[in-house]
Amino acid sequence: MLFQRKFSGISCIWHQTSDNSGRLVGALDAVLDSNARVAPFRILLQVPGSQVYSPIACGATLEEINQHWDWLEQNLLHTLSVFDNKDDIASFVKGKVKALIAEETSSRLAEQEEEPEKFREALVKFEARFNFPEAEKLVTYYSCCCWKGRVPRQGWLYLSINHLCFYSFFLGKELKLVVPWVDIQKLERTSNVFLTDTIRITTQNKERDFSMFLNLDEVFKVMEQLADVTLRRLLDNEVFDLDPDLQEPSQITKRDLEARAQNEFFRAFFRLPRKEKLHAVVDCSLWTPFSRCHTAGRMFTSDSYICFASREDGCCKIVLPLREVVSIEKMEDTSLLPHPIIVSIRSKVAFQFIELRDRDSLVEALLVRLKQVHANHPVHYDTSVDDDMASPVFHSTSMCGDHRFGDLEMVSSQSSEESEKEKSPLLHPDALVTAFQQSGSQSPDSQMSREQIKISLWNDHFVEYGRTVCMFRTEKIRKLVAMGIPESLRGRLWLLFSDAVTDLASHPGYYGNLVEESLGKCCLVTEEIERDLHRSLPEHPAFQNETGIAALRRVLTAYAHRNPKIGYCQSMNILTSVLLLYAKEEEAFWLLVAVCERMLPDYFNHRVIGAQVDQSVFEELIKGHLPELAEHMNDLSALASVSLSWFLTLFLSIMPLESAVNVVDCFFYDGIKAIFQLGLAVLEANAEDLCSSKDDGQALMILSRFLDHIKNEDSPGPPVGSHHAFFSDDQEPYPVTDISDLIRDSYEKFGDQSVEQIEHLRYKHRIRVLQGHEDTTKQNVLRVVIPEVSILPEDLEELYDLFKREHMMSCYWEQPRPTASRHDPSRPYAEQYRIDARQFAHLFQLVSPWTCGAHTEILAERTFRLLDDNMDQLIEFKAFVSCLDIMYNGEMNEKIKLLYRLHIPPALTENDRDSQSPLKNPLLSTSRPLVFGKPNGDAVDYQKQLKQMIKDLAKEKDKTEKELPKMSQREFIQFCKTLYSMFHEDPEENDLYQAIATVTTLLLQIGEVGQRSSSSGSCSQECGEELQASAPSPEDSVFADTGKTPQDSQAFPEEAQADWTVSLEHILASLLTEQSLVNFFEKPLDMKSKLENAKINQYNLKTSEMSHQSQSELKLSNL
């Protein structure tokens, strides 16, 4: 049977054969395999007028071939309309199919082998096509199309550790595209007129679309991972700690990226420490006694934890720290309980997992880690009873046994605690709220009844689901948290939900030691802390006296001492003060550690990158959930400026305290998701008023009034207003919103965001935020530099990009040198990017107008030494462009002064790298006469000019003090050599050589006359008479043959040579006597052409140098 469809003049035919055996298009080998058996269904390509049918796809059933046809329609057929020639269409389709076959083959091989042959072939092609250094490791590659306007170019996409590269050779045209990951400002999935799903790469000036991938989801995830790793490694190394497996970028593989993505999801989902490394993810089922069945899900095992999450979101989740685990045992395998293991914990609870694949190796690995954890942190089973734990809530004979919160301690904890109390008797032993309990407006009986009801509900929950960090976490506990945790249990449950209790138990005495070490030390951080102490909940009585203030000071100072990278940031004081209200001082410290280091990563640092990323994510959530509000407020940055404090202080600074603590309850249980959904609920509740607001100020007032009137009817304490609230002095009553209702609405309407979705959005927006900081840095640097130079702003911008790229290329491929400084965002804008001598030499060669052939590199070294004022072997962008500005736009005297300075110390050194320099042979033919032959046969006598010049300079000597030291004879030789090199290949080369020969001889005589004048005390008439007037031949050289000693040189004692000097004024006056030299230094220079060539050749220059170095190293190793 034949089924024919036409598109763009090309026939695509379904052909059904009688043979029922066939191959799926997923294998794709059969499409081009002439020996393969004919599939029952095939899609054939025919060009009208041709008798040739080309197989495109094949399948075993009609359903399968229909799926292949749908893929062709979505990804291929719509693009064919851009071609005019039918043969071009056929060529394009065949090329695409061949590429898909090759990619599928390589994917299968990659599953079977660590380094399949196909990948090695792709690596060879990648290296040949892009000529990168060996350090540029290829991670993976894909077949795809790159769109150039409306025309797709079929080719190969190569993803390496630092670059995204595309190569195409189609219809006789070659296309190469190289995009550094650090240049990408946006990475997104989108659609265009022809295709429903493409990947769009946005850089500063261009957008590129890539489509027709065999597996677009996989490609996009790998791109996201590579962009995230590279940008954070190069632009955000202030806080970014790479995984141990990714410490060396050249070792990154596709498998490493997938493992890293899974690791980050694992840590975010269970909110575990950032150093925790995931080892295995296994499908299994867990016995859940509350539902009396096994719940299907996945087990996650890491360095110090066993975790479980059900397949159904919110159904069940557990976190088992290995230090709480007593034993891990394999049980008998039965048909009802296949491959079971039992994990027993200290609170006499056993967790049963079944359906575990490869159970033996899993248990073996877990036992090894369990032994290691117990060896590092031996557990002490304390039989003493903690008074705080004697309440029915934390002491029960239920399934959780008699485990008490206070049992979490180590063998040495008793002595450590005793010594801690001796050393630090000032530590406050209880939560501040117990010492400064306020009576509310309600009757005591009403307050107690509400609290008792909540405590009773929680007690019932503990009996059924567990009361320790190993409790079953279900939707039921989320509802209890949303109602508000009882004040007597709040601090304890915060510790359990955040797992700060494990840190507390694992580090006995740690906090007390930190307090001892940090108190009394004065620095900038402690000054900032002292300044903010009395601004922390000043309306609460706990912080109206020294007890609360002292505890707050100790916790903040101790944390700054523990983590100098973060130190102290504003808003940490507000958060810590609330933690101290409900937790003991040491517990509050570990809660702060949990919040700053894993629950709100990168929030509390120099640039608050984490908070800005979440702000950007929040803006996208607003567009998705509240489109009308987003449309009304075209610029959501106004909302972002208001909501930033929502994230930084968890609503504590803008909501009454008794209401805000309920938000913190949800945050400790659900993480940042709770803040996102509550923020959306706040905006949704005010959407109508916000849409009718006239400006940002009115919108701010609406939100502030609403937040200030959120009450907590269940709070046992009196209302405590927000000290940061605005516009709270209402002239008329404002509607009151109950916090429980608002939180319930947030879960019902906006609780569908999963941790995986939030992490994906963070990847996407971290690129935008980091590039936004880079743009800010660039604009600030340019704003400082523009007024001080004559270079056009657009050219300065190009120079900045070249400067930054040179820095980045060294980060890509070179081992860090002691002098090389990485990008440091904490430094002032102008100092964030700096380059060393080698990087400067590359840029000098690319953009400097003073190219001197082989001498250029030596001149670059001297220029670098001149610009390196503080001698730290690094220079900033401002110094670089100031030097270029003189070269391109300076007056002649400024250019000569710069050249002069390049040939005296510190630019010129005794060990200057110039093997051909006659520095060690300073003998010159200074007896050369001052009469030169001209082309017209005339002779010019410079004796009179010389005498007059010496007299004029002698007069000026007393008037002004010389700014620069005089140039010695050896330095003058190098100066002349540079001038000769600069004139090479100039259109006026011959005239310039003649002129510089004249000037050089004149200056030699000036130096000699000055030398004799200083030795005799005055310049006598005899000096002039000694100057001979015989004309030399044009071939005479300024430099004497260093292999022979000039006869006349014996007239001057060797020790007198050290006194030979000329000044900048001598040189400048001499150069002004030759019009050709004046024209050379005053002619306008074109920077734009240099910049264009530099952009094209910058990579080639770097890669050629790296290749030359590797070849040199290879030769040395073979010796």
Side-chain angles (χ1 to χ4, degrees):
M1 289 187 297
L2 291 177
F3 305 90
Q4 183 171 6
R5 296 186 184 182
K6 288 192 175 184
F7 199 93
S8 299
I10 296 294
S11 297
C12 284
I13 301 172
W14 292 3
H15 176 224
Q16 182 177 1
T17 68
S18 57
D19 187 358
N20 290 327
S21 62
R23 299 194 179 199
L24 301 179
V25 73
L28 285 176
D29 305 41
V31 174
L32 296 183
D33 187 358
S34 59
N35 296 320
R37 290 176 294 175
V38 180
F41 293 94
R42 294 187 298 165
I43 298 176
L44 307 177
L45 175 71
Q46 180 196 26
V47 178
S50 172
Q51 298 302 314
V52 178
Y53 293 86
S54 301
I56 300 302
C58 54
T61 65
L62 183 61
E63 180 182 359
E64 290 172 349
I65 205 68
N66 268 312
Q67 291 176 356
H68 305 330
W69 179 261
D70 291 340
W71 188 93
L72 289 170
E73 279 192 321
Q74 294 174 10
N75 294 278
L76 194 64
L77 297 184
H78 291 291
T79 67
L80 303 183
S81 60
V82 301
F83 295 98
D84 298 328
N85 189 310
K86 297 174 183 177
D87 291 329
D88 292 347
I89 297 177
S91 177
F92 173 77
V93 173
K94 291 177 184 177
K96 182 64 185 175
V97 171
K98 288 180 180 179
L100 291 174
I101 293 171
E103 181 180 349
E104 179 65 19
T105 302
S106 66
S107 298
R108 293 206 318 270
L109 288 171
E111 294 175 0
Q112 300 170 5
E113 300 179 36
E114 187 66 25
E115 288 189 2
E117 187 64 30
K118 290 292 183 181
F119 184 84
R120 286 194 288 270
E121 292 178 8
L123 179 60
V124 171
K125 292 179 181 178
F126 170 71
E127 292 174 346
R129 288 167 176 172
F130 297 100
N131 194 32
F132 283 125
E134 292 183 4
E136 186 66 19
K137 178 178 172 59
L138 177 66
V139 176
T140 188
Y141 65 100
Y142 300 96
S143 167
C144 70
C145 283
C146 176
W147 289 79
K148 192 172 183 180
R150 297 176 66 247
V151 179
R153 298 291 299 266
Q154 170 62 36
W156 290 92
L157 181 70
Y158 298 91
L159 305 181
S160 65
I161 56 174
N162 297 304
H163 298 86
L164 177 151
C165 305
F166 178 79
Y167 179 86
S168 172
F169 188 84
F170 182 61
L171 302 178
K173 294 182 180 180
E174 185 179 54
L175 172 66
K176 289 184 182 180
L177 179 65
V178 177
V179 182
W181 292 114
V182 291
D183 287 355
I184 293 178
Q185 297 184 339
K186 190 183 294 185
L187 176 63
E188 58 187 341
R189 294 177 64 166
T190 183
S191 59
N192 60 25
V193 178
F194 306 104
L195 294 175
T196 57
D197 208 358
T198 64
I199 296 177
R200 175 166 294 172
I201 306 294
T202 304
T203 57
Q204 185 175 1
N205 301 316
K206 290 184 180 179
E207 288 183 350
R208 297 282 187 180
D209 288 342
F210 298 89
S211 63
M212 288 188 270
F213 294 96
L214 193 62
N215 187 342
L216 188 137
D217 290 336
E218 175 194 314
V219 178
F220 189 71
K221 286 181 180 179
V222 173
M223 282 186 175
E224 268 192 333
Q225 280 288 314
L226 274 171
D228 185 70
V229 167
T230 308
L231 263 71
R232 296 178 74 182
R233 171 168 56 89
L234 297 175
L235 303 183
D236 192 30
N237 57 301
E238 177 188 10
V239 293
F240 180 44
D241 296 322
L242 281 170
D243 297 326
D245 294 338
L246 304 182
Q247 288 287 358
E248 177 54 51
S250 62
Q251 301 302 317
I252 294 176
T253 64
K254 181 181 174 184
R255 185 174 299 176
D256 292 330
L257 293 172
E258 293 170 351
R260 178 179 180 272
Q262 198 170 38
N263 211 0
E264 290 202 337
F265 166 75
F266 162 70
R267 290 195 297 258
F269 188 79
F270 295 102
R271 294 187 296 283
L272 299 179
R274 298 178 76 172
K275 293 182 180 180
E276 199 67 23
K277 181 181 178 182
L278 181 66
H279 291 285
V281 181
V282 185
D283 290 330
C284 65
S285 294
L286 170 68
W287 174 255
T288 48
F290 53 87
S291 60
R292 301 192 177 280
C293 67
H294 283 93
T295 301
R298 292 189 297 173
M299 174 192 286
F300 301 80
T301 64
S302 65
D303 294 336
S304 308
Y305 290 87
I306 299 174
C307 302
F308 174 85
S310 60
R311 293 190 184 279
E312 183 182 348
D313 186 35
C315 177
C316 178
K317 182 169 71 173
I318 61 170
V319 177
L320 307 177
L322 286 181
R323 75 178 315 277
E324 287 295 294
V325 175
V326 175
S327 65
I328 302 173
E329 301 172 296
K330 292 182 288 186
M331 303 299 291
E332 183 180 354
D333 191 2
T334 66
S335 58
L336 294 177
L337 301 175
H339 311 298
I341 68 170
I342 299 295
V343 179
S344 303
I345 62 174
R346 291 173 50 208
S347 56
K348 301 179 182 178
V349 177
F351 295 89
Q352 182 189 77
F353 298 90
I354 64 171
E355 299 174 345
L356 288 158
R357 292 184 303 171
D358 199 10
R359 177 183 62 165
D360 294 343
S361 60
L362 176 67
V363 171
E364 183 180 353
L366 284 173
L367 288 173
V368 169
R369 289 197 290 275
L370 178 65
K371 184 178 179 181
Q372 184 177 0
V373 168
H374 283 187
N376 294 336
H377 303 286
V379 179
H380 173 68
Y381 294 91
D382 186 11
T383 57
S384 63
V385 179
D386 189 336
D387 293 339
D388 293 339
M389 293 293 99
S391 67
V393 175
F394 284 92
H395 185 66
S396 169
T397 56
S398 67
M399 59 173 283
C400 291
D402 59 356
H403 171 64
R404 293 181 300 278
F405 193 94
D407 290 348
L408 296 179
E409 54 182 290
M410 300 173 62
V411 171
S412 60
S413 63
Q414 289 179 329
S415 58
S416 298
E417 287 176 0
E418 291 173 3
S419 61
E420 182 180 336
K421 289 178 181 179
E422 292 176 2
K423 291 180 180 178
S424 308
L426 299 178
L427 297 186
H428 199 267
D430 300 312
L432 293 178
V433 75
T434 60
F436 298 92
Q437 186 67 51
Q438 297 172 280
S439 60
S441 57
Q442 302 173 351
S443 66
D445 293 340
S446 175
Q447 294 175 19
M448 290 304 298
S449 61
R450 290 184 181 230
E451 277 288 285
Q452 288 299 329
I453 291 173
K454 284 186 177 183
I455 290 175
S456 176
L457 290 173
W458 276 96
N459 190 39
D460 293 342
H461 184 275
F462 290 141
V463 170
E464 189 173 3
Y465 294 89
R467 70 182 68 251
T468 70
V469 69
C470 305
M471 69 173 66
F472 289 95
R473 308 182 190 200
T474 66
E475 191 63 32
K476 183 177 179 181
I477 197 172
R478 177 178 283 121
K479 292 178 180 178
L480 284 175
V481 171
M483 292 169 55
I485 298 175
E487 295 214 348
S488 59
L489 305 180
R490 179 165 277 138
R492 302 292 188 173
L493 288 173
W494 285 356
L495 284 164
L496 293 180
F497 294 153
S498 65
D499 195 35
V501 62
T502 301
D503 289 333
L504 172 67
S506 302
H507 299 84
Y510 177 83
Y511 174 68
N513 293 334
L514 275 182
V515 171
E516 289 292 324
E517 293 172 8
S518 59
L519 281 183
K521 293 185 178 179
C522 185
C523 60
L524 182 61
V525 171
T526 56
E527 291 176 4
E528 292 177 356
I529 291 174
E530 288 296 328
R531 189 165 54 245
D532 287 344
L533 286 177
H534 294 278
R535 304 175 186 172
S536 309
L537 299 185
E539 68 280 357
H540 198 285
F543 298 98
Q544 293 172 356
N545 64 80
E546 187 56 30
T547 301
I549 295 295
L552 181 59
R553 178 188 293 112
R554 287 192 293 270
V555 173
L556 292 175
T557 307
Y559 184 78
H561 191 71
R562 163 191 165 86
N563 192 342
K565 284 187 177 180
I566 292 179
Y568 170 76
C569 294
Q570 285 188 347
S571 76
M572 285 175 65
N573 60 319
I574 298 173
L575 175 61
T576 307
S577 58
V578 174
L579 297 178
L580 283 167
L581 286 178
Y582 297 100
K584 297 178 181 179
E585 188 174 322
E586 186 175 7
E587 295 170 350
F589 170 80
W590 287 111
L591 283 170
L592 182 64
V593 170
V595 172
C596 294
E597 297 179 12
R598 61 174 181 263
M599 299 190 72
L600 294 178
D602 302 346
Y603 263 57
F604 304 98
N605 56 50
H606 176 66
R607 300 190 296 174
V608 291
I609 292 291
Q612 293 186 51
V613 170
D614 284 349
Q615 281 285 277
S616 191
V617 171
F618 188 53
E619 289 180 21
E620 180 163 335
L621 294 177
I622 294 172
K623 294 175 183 176
H625 290 87
L626 304 170
E628 293 181 2
L629 177 61
E631 185 178 352
H632 173 74
M633 303 190 73
N634 295 325
D635 184 8
L636 290 175
S637 60
L639 281 180
S641 64
V642 176
S643 59
L644 181 61
S645 60
W646 302 358
F647 290 86
L648 284 173
T649 66
L650 309 179
F651 285 91
L652 289 169
S653 65
I654 42 81
M655 193 183 288
L657 178 62
E658 70 274 7
S659 303
V661 290
N662 284 29
V663 178
V664 180
D665 294 341
C666 298
F667 167 75
F668 275 115
Y669 184 77
D670 268 323
I672 195 62
K673 170 186 173 181
I675 307 302
F676 280 125
Q677 62 194 32
L678 187 67
L680 290 172
V682 169
L683 294 179
E684 193 250 0
N686 294 274
E688 185 176 347
D689 292 338
L690 290 172
C691 287
S692 60
S693 62
K694 298 178 180 179
D695 52 40
D696 294 342
Q698 187 176 357
L700 172 62
M701 183 180 70
I702 291 169
L703 290 173
S704 299
R705 283 164 58 99
F706 176 82
L707 291 166
D708 199 36
H709 287 81
I710 295 177
K711 304 301 180 185
N712 185 358
E713 300 296 337
D714 295 337
S715 175
V720 180
S722 168
H723 63 287
H724 286 273
F726 299 100
F727 314 109
S728 57
D729 297 330
D730 302 312
Q731 296 181 355
E732 58 184 38
Y734 189 86
V736 172
T737 303
D738 188 80
I739 185 63
S740 299
D741 296 336
L742 188 64
I743 290 176
R744 185 180 62 252
D745 287 346
S746 74
Y747 275 103
E748 291 176 356
K749 297 178 180 179
F750 308 108
D752 56 345
Q753 293 294 325
S754 67
V755 172
E756 191 171 12
Q757 290 171 322
I758 291 174
E759 288 302 303
H760 167 71
L761 290 174
R762 281 175 163 175
Y763 276 135
K764 174 181 176 180
H765 290 280
R766 188 178 290 111
I767 295 175
R768 189 187 71 81
V769 170
L770 288 174
Q771 293 292 12
H773 277 275
E774 290 299 297
D775 289 340
T776 301
T777 299
K778 179 178 178 178
Q779 295 307 319
N780 279 281
V781 172
L782 294 179
R783 189 173 66 248
V784 172
V785 174
I786 285 175
E788 300 188 11
V789 297
S790 302
I791 301 174
L792 295 175
E794 56 268 26
D795 292 342
L796 266 181
E797 192 169 344
E798 295 283 358
L799 281 171
Y800 182 89
D801 292 338
L802 289 169
F803 188 89
K804 177 181 172 181
R805 190 174 298 122
E806 189 65 42
H807 170 92
M808 288 298 175
M809 284 193 296
S810 295
C811 296
Y812 296 159
W813 304 316
E814 297 180 7
Q815 292 296 327
R817 296 183 293 280
T819 57
S821 175
R822 295 188 63 185
H823 172 55
D824 187 355
S826 65
R827 297 179 68 90
Y829 290 118
E831 300 176 14
Q832 288 188 16
Y833 286 108
R834 297 183 291 173
I835 57 175
D836 60 20
R838 187 186 301 177
Q839 297 161 356
F840 177 82
H842 293 156
L843 283 180
F844 189 90
Q845 184 176 344
L846 288 168
V847 299
S848 171
W850 292 355
T851 51
C852 311
H855 194 66
T856 303
E857 191 171 351
I858 296 171
L859 188 63
E861 290 178 3
R862 295 172 185 167
T863 307
F864 181 85
R865 286 195 291 266
L866 177 65
L867 299 178
D868 185 18
D869 293 331
N870 56 3
M871 302 183 70
D872 64 350
Q873 304 302 312
L874 296 167
I875 64 167
E876 303 164 7
F877 178 70
K878 183 178 178 181
F880 171 68
V881 294
S882 298
C883 179
L884 280 183
D885 187 45
I886 295 175
M887 294 179 181
Y888 277 97
N889 304 313
E891 300 291 339
M892 179 178 176
N893 61 327
E894 294 175 321
K895 294 179 181 179
I896 300 303
K897 183 177 180 181
L898 175 59
L899 275 171
Y900 185 91
R901 295 180 65 195
L902 291 176
H903 295 84
I904 59 175
L908 187 70
T909 64
E910 285 291 332
N911 298 320
D912 193 271
R913 188 170 64 87
D914 187 357
S915 58
Q916 314 234 335
S917 169
L919 280 174
K920 304 302 180 185
N921 300 282
L923 300 178
L924 290 171
S925 179
T926 55
S927 61
R928 188 177 304 279
L930 289 181
V931 179
F932 286 88
K934 293 295 180 181
N936 57 8
D938 298 335
V940 178
D941 187 353
Y942 284 96
Q943 293 185 35
K944 294 181 180 179
Q945 291 186 15
L946 172 59
K947 295 174 184 177
Q948 186 61 42
M949 189 183 301
I950 292 175
K951 291 179 181 179
D952 293 341
L953 290 173
K955 293 178 182 178
E956 294 294 327
K957 183 177 181 181
D958 297 331
K959 295 181 181 179
T960 59
E961 185 180 354
K962 300 292 188 299
E963 293 183 2
L964 298 173
K966 289 186 177 182
M967 182 179 282
S968 70
Q969 187 182 93
R970 299 165 60 195
E971 295 161 356
F972 177 70
I973 294 171
Q974 289 300 311
F975 178 84
C976 296
K977 186 172 182 178
T978 299
L979 288 178
Y980 269 86
S981 303
M982 289 172 64
F983 301 151
H984 183 58
E985 295 185 355
D986 189 275
E988 307 295 329
E989 182 176 356
N990 292 333
D991 291 342
L992 289 169
Y993 282 156
Q994 180 68 26
I996 197 61
T998 303
V999 171
T1000 302
T1001 305
L1002 177 62
L1003 286 168
L1004 288 172
Q1005 295 294 347
I1006 291 174
E1008 180 182 329
V1009 172
Q1011 177 186 11
R1012 295 185 179 182
S1013 174
S1014 61
S1015 63
S1016 62
S1018 63
C1019 185
S1020 64
Q1021 180 67 25
E1022 296 176 353
C1023 295
E1025 295 175 353
E1026 290 179 4
L1027 300 176
Q1028 303 299 320
S1030 59
S1033 62
E1035 290 80 10
D1036 284 345
S1037 171
V1038 174
F1039 297 104
D1041 185 355
T1042 57
K1044 300 177 182 180
T1045 303
Q1047 297 177 357
D1048 294 333
S1049 66
Q1050 300 299 328
F1052 304 104
E1054 185 174 348
E1055 59 272 13
Q1057 296 294 335
D1059 297 327
W1060 188 100
T1061 58
V1062 290
S1063 66
L1064 172 62
E1065 290 77 9
H1066 288 137
I1067 293 176
L1068 184 57
S1070 301
L1071 292 173
L1072 289 172
T1073 62
E1074 292 293 333
Q1075 189 59 44
S1076 58
L1077 296 177
V1078 175
N1079 294 340
F1080 176 83
F1081 283 106
E1082 290 190 347
K1083 67 181 178 184
L1085 299 172
D1086 181 21
M1087 178 179 281
K1088 292 188 182 296
S1089 60
K1090 275 280 188 180
L1091 292 176
E1092 288 299 322
N1093 290 331
K1095 286 192 291 185
I1096 297 171
N1097 298 319
Q1098 189 174 21
Y1099 264 79
N1100 295 335
L1101 181 64
K1102 186 70 175 178
T1103 54
S1104 63
E1105 185 208 25
M1106 297 289 292
S1107 300
H1108 178 72
Q1109 287 179 357
S1110 61
Q1111 290 174 3
S1112 300
E1113 291 172 1
L1114 181 62
K1115 290 178 181 178
L1116 289 173
S1117 64
N1118 291 333
L1119 292 178

